[in-house]
Amino acid sequence: MVTKASDPAAAHSLDFSVIAARASRRRRQQLRLVRDASLYMVMSAGSIAFVMPFVWMLSTSLKAAEQVWQQPPVWIPSPVVFQNYVDAVTSVPTLTYLKNSVLIAALSIVGLVFSSSLVAFAFSRIEWPGRDAWFGILLSTMMLPSQVTMIPVFVLFFRLGWVNTLKPLIVPSFFGSAFYIFLLRQFFMGIPRELDESAIIDGANPLVIWGRIILPLSGPALAAVAIFSFVGNWNDFMGPLIYLNRTDKWTLPLGLLAFRNKYGTEWAQLMAYSTLVMLPCLLVFFFFQRYFIQGITLTGIKG
Amino acid sequence: MASPWIIGFLVFTLGPMIASVYFSLSEYSVLKPARFIGVENFARMFSNDPRYWISIYNTAYYTVLQVPLGIVVALAIAILLNQGLKGENLFRTAYYMPSVVSGVAVSMLWLWLFDPTLGLVNDVLARLGISGPRWLQDPAWSKPALVLMSVFGIGGTMVIFLAGLQGIPESLYEAAMVDGANWWQKTRNITIPMITPTIFFNLVMGFIGSFQVFTQAYVMTNGGPVNSTLFYVLYLYQNAFRFFKMGYASAMAWVLFFIVLALTLVQFRLAGRWVYYEAAAPTAGR
């Protein structure tokens, strides 16, 4: 020991520096606390603003007509009028719209997951002549505004007699989609090559490798594709608007629009109907959040 | 194994593109065969259709407001959510949720929110002592209203920014801390330069998306009041499926394509000046 216990000055200065260090640590902690508190405040204010419209929609959907018009606005409906939902749903053929929406969404998911994963497999894990050129074409089609092909594709389906059927909204899914192919390819690239190679040695053909090795390892990416395509189809408006004129073929968004035109000022019922149309997407979102995040991340960062 | 897509590409993209070129040079109403008229559609579009120019103006106006605002808000939220605070998942959910439920239902909701007398937007403004405009009923405010509404759909952009932020090496911040840099200096000199590729990506995607704005305008305003929300794709849709001028609409689609292409190329050219790519970065995914 170098420090002499008999030297009071040394002991004192040591004590002082310890105190100073403690004080500065405490000040830093306090600063951190202030910083975190203000961050929380900003984030909470922002997220309340983002969610408020939906709370307002729900609130309106449960109000009696008088309360809808009340100023200043009331947030908690009293009485709570569930009848708005019943009235909204029964005043138009909602069941038909729902059936059509579900049919389109379900079949499109099957088509997109199946064919996009197959094509993505071909672009990421097998060599074939012209592959890179085709991939370049695939990427460039993502740049092409859909309006360029919209009219000839409409004419094609019109000539096939498919207008006013659900086919134009389902069949193209079975040819894959550039966006999902790109997303899945990004994911497949990350799966170790050795798996394919050892399977080839065992005599597996590409179809077996795709079905038995790649797909089982790609759960999260396939889920992301399924979820995105569900939300995309469920919310799609322009497609059904163009192809479906007969009311018995309408989807929920078209039904909602017709509902508005029929009952323009019935805000409580209109908000009830909007809530119902949104509900499946919201549920899917709350149960499968992480796949949304993963899927978007997969397409975004490596662009 | 790529054949499903290749067949789909030939049938639903390449074939239609060729047909679209022909339609754009024709007079065509689906019911009668197309009649070749040369560049007449384009000539009329540029010199003899005031509504066409209104739709260009509206779309450009909307884009110029919406794209930068969307990027700034999404980035600001992403930075806030990247501070390592507890409960970030909950906040991220709140910010992301509105973008999941786009389309007609959300348009209905905002129609209600923007109501001049009963809407929540003007009620909130009134509490702040501001007398709100008539929003969708006022030609001067209809476009800003749709821009404001679009901010609620920035969830996807925000997540891409978050991913970009999480890719920044922690060592850079540690080095800056040793040098005594404050929060703003770190944001200004590390965060922003490191995510310029992500900003660039979101900028390009934002322009492409913004030029195709349709559903909100169709559902909420149908182009009005006084054509103030007659956006490019809405006018294209009207020409094709209401007036059955498929040739004219095809010509409009091609001009849209060249506008989007030109904007993208310009951005790629400008990117060299401000987008920073790490020299040693692994070319991920290749």
Side-chain angles (χ1 to χ4, degrees):
Chain A
M1 276 308 224
V2 196
T3 321
K4 279 176 256 164
S6 59
D7 186 347
H12 181 77
S13 76
L14 191 73
D15 269 351
F16 182 75
S17 74
V18 168
I19 291 164
R22 260 193 219 133
S24 88
R25 201 181 319 133
R26 204 174 308 132
R27 210 175 55 233
R28 249 194 327 239
Q29 275 171 349
Q30 277 168 350
L31 272 175
R32 215 188 144 74
L33 215 65
V34 170
R35 189 197 80 133
D36 286 2
S38 40
L39 279 179
Y40 273 120
M41 263 159 64
V42 174
M43 284 204 302
S44 310
S47 56
I48 288 170
F50 267 65
V51 174
M52 195 149 67
F54 298 94
V55 178
W56 183 238
M57 173 178 75
L58 193 67
S59 157
T60 305
S61 75
L62 294 168
K63 280 179 192 167
E66 316 83 73
Q67 256 189 340
V68 171
W69 303 95
Q70 201 167 317
Q71 288 289 341
V74 234
W75 282 87
I76 315 274
S78 100
V80 175
V81 186
F82 289 108
Q83 189 63 28
N84 290 331
Y85 283 83
V86 179
D87 291 346
V89 166
T90 50
S91 59
V92 287
T94 306
L95 216 58
T96 310
Y97 306 154
L98 178 70
K99 194 194 76 194
N100 292 333
S101 275
V102 168
L103 204 63
I104 292 172
L107 291 175
S108 296
I109 288 177
V110 173
L112 280 169
V113 170
F114 177 81
S115 47
S116 297
S117 67
L118 193 68
V119 176
F121 176 75
F123 276 124
S124 58
R125 306 189 72 93
I126 42 182
E127 304 279 342
W128 44 281
R131 183 182 81 165
D132 293 345
W134 277 113
F135 191 67
I137 294 173
L138 179 118
L139 287 184
S140 53
T141 62
M142 290 204 286
M143 285 279 305
L144 186 75
S146 61
Q147 286 77 21
V148 171
T149 52
M150 179 175 85
I151 291 164
V153 170
F154 173 82
V155 172
L156 173 73
F157 287 137
F158 180 79
R159 296 250 180 273
L160 287 172
W162 285 9
V163 168
N164 279 322
T165 72
L166 303 182
K167 286 180 207 158
L169 304 168
I170 296 169
V171 172
S173 304
F174 284 82
F175 296 90
S177 134
F179 176 74
Y180 299 130
I181 293 169
F182 173 66
L183 186 152
L184 289 173
R185 176 185 172 271
Q186 298 288 90
F187 188 86
F188 292 170
M189 301 286 274
I191 299 173
R193 280 264 167 192
E194 291 75 28
L195 292 173
D196 302 23
E197 280 152 17
S198 57
I200 291 169
I201 292 167
D202 290 345
N205 66 32
L207 217 56
V208 172
I209 298 173
W210 168 72
R212 304 282 286 276
I213 297 175
I214 302 299
L215 289 191
L217 288 173
S218 308
L222 297 175
V225 169
I227 288 164
F228 280 141
S229 76
F230 171 76
V231 170
N233 275 300
W234 195 264
N235 292 329
D236 183 24
F237 178 59
M238 209 184 205
L241 183 68
I242 290 170
Y243 288 111
L244 309 174
N245 301 314
R246 277 179 38 191
T247 50
D248 65 321
K249 294 295 173 195
W250 274 354
T251 58
L252 280 171
L254 289 182
L256 177 57
L257 191 66
F259 180 86
R260 202 265 315 251
N261 294 343
K262 235 161 125 187
Y263 305 94
T265 46
E266 296 269 4
W267 282 109
Q269 285 186 32
L270 190 56
M271 289 300 104
Y273 212 112
S274 300
T275 309
L276 287 179
V277 172
M278 281 181 199
L279 197 63
C281 285
L282 287 178
L283 289 178
V284 164
F285 172 65
F286 280 110
F287 286 114
F288 302 107
Q289 276 180 55
R290 68 190 183 97
Y291 298 112
F292 278 93
I293 309 289
Q294 280 169 352
I296 292 196
T297 309
L298 219 49
T299 55
I301 39 173
K302 283 151 189 182
Chain B
M1 289 177 86
S3 55
W5 175 74
I6 293 178
I7 294 167
F9 167 74
L10 298 175
V11 176
F12 294 120
T13 306
L14 187 64
M17 278 173 79
I18 295 165
S20 179
V21 172
Y22 179 68
F23 289 164
S24 72
L25 301 170
S26 310
E27 194 184 284
Y28 184 45
S29 64
V30 187
L31 300 169
K32 278 180 280 176
R35 187 171 66 87
F36 188 82
I37 52 167
V39 294
E40 213 174 279
N41 285 326
F42 294 93
R44 213 188 86 215
M45 198 186 303
F46 292 132
S47 59
N48 203 13
D49 184 359
R51 294 189 82 210
Y52 177 80
W53 288 104
I54 291 172
S55 78
I56 290 257
Y57 168 77
N58 288 340
T59 312
Y61 183 124
Y62 177 81
T63 302
V64 165
L65 281 186
Q66 194 263 334
V67 175
L69 185 68
I71 293 218
V72 169
V73 174
L75 180 57
I77 295 174
I79 290 178
L80 275 176
L81 288 180
N82 198 40
Q83 299 295 315
L85 294 172
K86 287 202 184 70
E88 276 174 351
N89 275 338
L90 196 71
F91 287 112
R92 195 174 59 186
T93 304
Y95 289 113
Y96 187 78
M97 198 238 340
S99 61
V100 176
V101 286
S102 53
V104 180
V106 163
S107 298
M108 295 295 178
L109 167 58
W110 281 91
L111 208 54
W112 173 226
L113 293 169
F114 278 130
D115 189 281
T117 46
L118 299 163
L120 193 60
V121 176
N122 275 358
D123 182 67
V124 170
L125 288 177
R127 277 159 207 239
L128 300 170
I130 301 164
S131 157
R134 300 188 60 77
W135 295 114
L136 299 168
Q137 297 167 20
D138 180 346
W141 283 97
S142 53
K143 282 186 285 285
L146 295 181
V147 170
L148 182 67
M149 168 186 167
S150 79
V151 170
F152 283 74
I154 49 132
T157 313
M158 177 202 75
V159 171
I160 294 176
F161 273 133
L162 260 177
L165 290 171
Q166 275 152 18
I168 303 175
E170 197 55 42
S171 58
L172 291 175
Y173 291 110
E174 281 156 16
M177 212 138 88
V178 171
D179 291 343
N182 63 28
W183 179 83
W184 172 243
Q185 285 167 328
K186 280 188 273 186
T187 303
R188 174 83 190 71
N189 297 314
I190 300 175
T191 312
I192 304 285
M194 288 302 287
I195 56 159
T196 44
T198 317
I199 298 177
F200 176 65
F201 176 83
N202 282 332
L203 204 58
V204 171
M205 299 312 279
F207 269 108
I208 293 175
S210 167
F211 253 84
Q212 299 185 56
V213 51
F214 174 76
T215 303
Q216 309 87 300
Y218 183 94
V219 174
M220 295 166 74
T221 56
N222 202 12
V226 255
N227 289 331
S228 63
T229 58
L230 182 72
F231 293 120
Y232 199 98
V233 172
L234 179 60
Y235 189 46
L236 192 160
Y237 166 85
Q238 288 180 350
N239 272 304
F241 297 99
R242 190 178 302 164
F243 315 138
F244 289 102
K245 293 182 190 167
M246 296 281 185
Y248 193 64
S250 297
M252 277 188 75
W254 278 107
V255 175
L256 175 67
F257 169 70
F258 284 111
I259 292 173
V260 169
L261 186 71
L263 278 175
T264 308
L265 289 178
V266 166
Q267 290 182 76
F268 269 93
R269 288 296 286 276
L270 292 176
R273 299 200 195 153
W274 64 275
V275 176
Y276 169 77
Y277 289 104
E278 237 177 318
T283 43
R286 302 288 137 139

